[in-house]
Amino acid sequence: LAGAEVINPTQNGNFSRSLLFYASPLTHTGVRAAYAVNDQLSFTVGVNNGWNRIADDSKSQKTGEVGISYTPVKQFILTVQGYFGDEPVGDGQVAQRDFADLVATYNVNDSLSVVLNADWGQQKNFDLLGDDGKWDVVAGYVNYAINSQWRVSVRAEYFQDKQGFVTATRGEQTLKEGTVTFGYVPIKNVELRLEVRYDKADNDLFLRDTSGTLADDQTGLALQMLYKF
């Protein structure tokens, strides 16, 4: 339910994943029910075995999920979803994890769309010392189809990992990233992508070279070819 980006890469405008993509649940094993009140409003509820888990290995604790989708007008879609339940924190112990996600999409016209994705999360007792790990993040996307063959997608993101739980740094970490992706469709079902990305952290986090030197920023360049079945 969570996030503007999905696992299937052909449905994302950018080649690389956002930071918030990895701070959200990706897959679940469980049951889910959806009910559409009308063309504008729908609800989703479910129970699963936890974040990215096939089997229940958390002492029979389950994770609940809820979601609301609202489309007041054809061009605008707002979804709000949440997860709550115990997750393993090490040494055979489990602790409560709560997560809330908001995605707002506005399709300006057939060529231009704007997306806002905001998350808030908390993991109780993540270090087995009683400390709570909290994170919040906001990402904005602009997707523009130049013509039938060319398009561009821009993403900007601000991520606060207040106790270093998500980044596994065990200390406060703030990250920012900006990404620009150009897509070109030379023939049907084939897309070529060129992407430039810049990441910045307030502490040394990124591997600079093979000697293990760390830096507080990094720049990436990516080329990708997709064949869509």
Side-chain angles (χ1 to χ4, degrees), residues 167-194:
T167 55
T169 57
R170 298 304 175 98
E172 184 174 358
Q173 187 76 259
T174 299
L175 302 98
K176 305 169 187 176
E177 68 94 358
T179 302
V180 179
T181 308
F182 292 94
Y184 173 62
V185 181
I187 59 175
K188 185 180 179 181
N189 297 337
V190 174
E191 183 180 35
L192 305 177
R193 293 180 176 182
L194 170 65

Side-chain angles (χ1 to χ4, degrees), residues 52-73:
N52 312 325
R53 300 183 184 280
I54 297 176
D56 182 4
D57 55 358
S58 58
K59 299 180 180 179
S60 298
Q61 300 292 329
K62 300 298 182 182
T63 292
E65 58 180 24
V66 295
I68 301 173
S69 177
Y70 179 54
T71 309
V73 294

